[in-house]
Amino acid sequence: MSPLRIAVIGAGVIGKTHIDALSHVPDLRLAAIVDPSDEARALAARHGVPVHADCHALLDGEQPDGVIVATPNATHAPIGLACIARGIPMLIEKPIAETVEAAQALTDAAERAGVPLLVGHHRRHNPILRMAREVIERGDLGALVSATILYTFLKPDSYFDIAWRRQEEGGGPILINLIHEIDTLRFLCGDIDSLQAIRSNKTRGFVVEDTVAVALRMRSGALATISLSDAVAAPWSWDMTTGESPQFARQTVPTHFFSGTAGSLTVPTLELWRYEGARGWLDPFTRTGLPLKPGNPYALQLQHFARVIRGEEAPLVGGADATQTLRATLAVREAADTGRPVDLSA
Ligand SMILES: NC(=O)c1ccc[n+]([C@@H]2O[C@H](COP(=O)([O-])OP(=O)(O)OC[C@H]3O[C@@H](n4cnc5c(N)ncnc54)[C@H](O)[C@@H]3O)[C@@H](O)[C@H]2O)c1
């Protein structure tokens, strides 16, 4: 079987990650880059592939077997719709779109046309989360009661040289970072029924928030909390602890804590805490490290995308699923701004 030809639309930070990951997936080959920047032109030349300034030039010319859409959020839906009109399967970066309405329109269009749509919530392909989900689903923790997620780290001052990251709704960590934790929570613990939130911009003083606290009620009845700040000197974040992105100095600390009636699990450290004999706060715990074969989630995501294009698997994160993650993430903003809980149960 010859490799599938993939075009990468948007060759910025994450587009380059996808281009690197493509070289680790024998079933896929980079066929073209779409990006108007000079940097992208040079990148395409290095890879010996054509470069186009916009997706219509690509779609009118080559017929790639699939596209990866890694452009700014507001362009996901229009580019996605253009690809659907040509019947081309897509891997669209998170968030699926900028609004729930645009996300729904894209999902509906893909379903109507029968075009596969995979959304890039790459963490779901990480073996760490796969194992955590297995442990929770198998009932090793008993009934899940509580989940605590820490996402605390320091974005360097230079990150904010780009104005929209300081000034525009959507430039802050709710839509950029928290969305990953909302999706992680949904993947491990199921649907969210309601949430409450507060946010603050006090530390940096920019228009966008720098710190957020969220309390969530899961459909299962479990309660969860997420504490996020991008303005603190702290190591408790997914990016720093999982080794997923080599540019982060790695720390070996847990960031996610799941507790049930029979035990607890830490992530990404994957330690299972259980009572062997007597059960109570005075009794000793057994702490077991779970063995894990690590894997690069971006390459695993692309291997899955290849099987999706070939019709061998349904997308692990489809449009409707990603729309629910977006809806809950935007609800955090709404809850923080109105001071009222947001019901997501309907
Ligand atoms: N899954 C992840 O871990 C992850 C990480 C970072 C970003 N993202 C998502 O990926 C997307 C891109 O983020 P980024 O940080 O790479 O942004 P970026 O600004 O680094 O890159 C965006 C690129 O898209 C190009 N571009 C803009 N409009 C275009 C268009 N209409 N057609 C073609 N190219 C266009 C720009 O020239 C730029 O090179 C965002 O949706 C973001 O949320 C996901």
Side-chain angles (χ1 to χ4, degrees):
M1 227 169 356
S2 53
L4 298 163
R5 291 164 310 112
I6 303 298
V8 173
I9 307 179
V13 172
I14 198 71
K16 288 197 202 85
T17 301
H18 288 302
I19 290 170
D20 283 348
L22 278 168
S23 64
H24 300 289
V25 183
D27 203 19
L28 301 179
R29 142 171 106 67
L30 179 67
I33 291 175
V34 180
D35 191 310
S37 70
D38 292 341
E39 205 191 332
R41 234 190 323 276
L43 186 67
R46 280 204 299 283
H47 284 272
V49 297
V51 61
H52 303 281
D54 71 65
C55 75
H56 299 285
L58 169 85
L59 299 173
D60 290 341
E62 290 113 311
Q63 277 285 307
D65 298 310
V67 298
I68 298 172
V69 181
T71 51
N73 299 347
T75 63
H76 292 183
I79 292 175
L81 290 170
C83 295
I84 290 167
R86 309 294 178 111
I88 299 176
M90 288 153 292
L91 163 55
I92 292 197
E93 261 309 333
K94 52 54 61 174
I96 174 173
E98 214 173 26
T99 64
V100 170
E101 294 70 27
Q104 263 160 359
L106 188 63
T107 302
D108 291 348
E111 270 171 20
R112 265 197 314 273
V115 176
L117 165 59
L118 171 67
V119 183
H121 287 289
H122 68 276
R123 284 190 192 181
R124 294 203 199 189
H125 302 268
N126 193 314
I128 298 168
L129 275 203
R130 295 301 193 99
M131 181 169 284
R133 182 170 144 116
E134 226 177 272
V135 167
I136 294 170
E137 275 189 349
R138 203 168 46 223
D140 290 1
L141 309 186
L144 189 72
V145 175
S146 155
T148 303
I149 296 178
L150 300 178
Y151 203 5
T152 47
F153 51 94
L154 188 64
K155 285 179 181 161
D157 291 344
S158 58
Y159 177 92
F160 298 96
D161 289 347
I162 298 169
W164 66 266
R165 292 175 171 169
R166 302 188 303 269
Q167 291 166 358
E168 281 178 29
E169 192 63 285
I174 291 181
L175 210 57
I176 291 184
N177 306 104
L178 183 73
I179 188 168
H180 287 296
E181 295 304 354
I182 296 279
D183 195 64
T184 297
L185 195 59
R186 291 190 59 248
F187 187 54
L188 297 187
C189 307
D191 285 329
I192 299 164
D193 252 5
S194 66
L195 62 81
Q196 304 177 47
I198 45 180
R199 66 169 164 171
S200 166
N201 62 357
K202 180 170 172 286
T203 305
R204 291 192 192 279
F206 295 148
V207 174
V208 301
E209 71 280 346
D210 50 57
T211 303
V212 190
V214 192
L216 309 99
R217 185 182 297 277
M218 310 304 292
R219 191 147 306 161
S220 68
L223 302 185
T225 55
I226 306 175
S227 178
L228 178 151
S229 178
D230 70 11
V232 288
W236 297 289
S237 85
W238 175 268
D239 313 274
M240 279 188 263
T241 56
T242 57
E244 208 168 66
S245 307
Q247 62 269 35
F248 292 93
R250 193 163 180 186
Q251 313 298 332
T252 313
V253 286
T255 52
H256 295 57
F257 305 82
F258 299 95
S259 299
T261 49
S264 290
L265 177 72
T266 61
V267 170
T269 35
L270 289 175
E271 286 184 330
L272 190 58
W273 295 70
R274 288 170 60 93
Y275 291 115
E276 288 306 329
R279 292 162 39 87
W281 64 7
L282 301 181
D283 298 310
F285 261 115
T286 307
R287 176 178 170 181
T288 312
L290 305 177
L292 181 86
K293 189 165 167 265
N296 175 341
Y298 295 104
L300 290 166
Q301 178 174 251
L302 288 181
Q303 285 164 14
H304 170 63
F305 186 41
R307 295 190 292 274
V308 167
I309 295 173
R310 293 197 192 282
E312 296 164 4
E313 286 178 9
L316 177 67
V317 194
D321 199 354
T323 301
Q324 287 311 317
T325 289
L326 175 65
R327 187 172 162 234
T329 306
L330 294 174
V332 170
R333 217 149 74 180
E334 182 187 335
D337 292 350
T338 60
R340 282 196 288 273
V342 177
D343 183 358
L344 295 166
S345 61

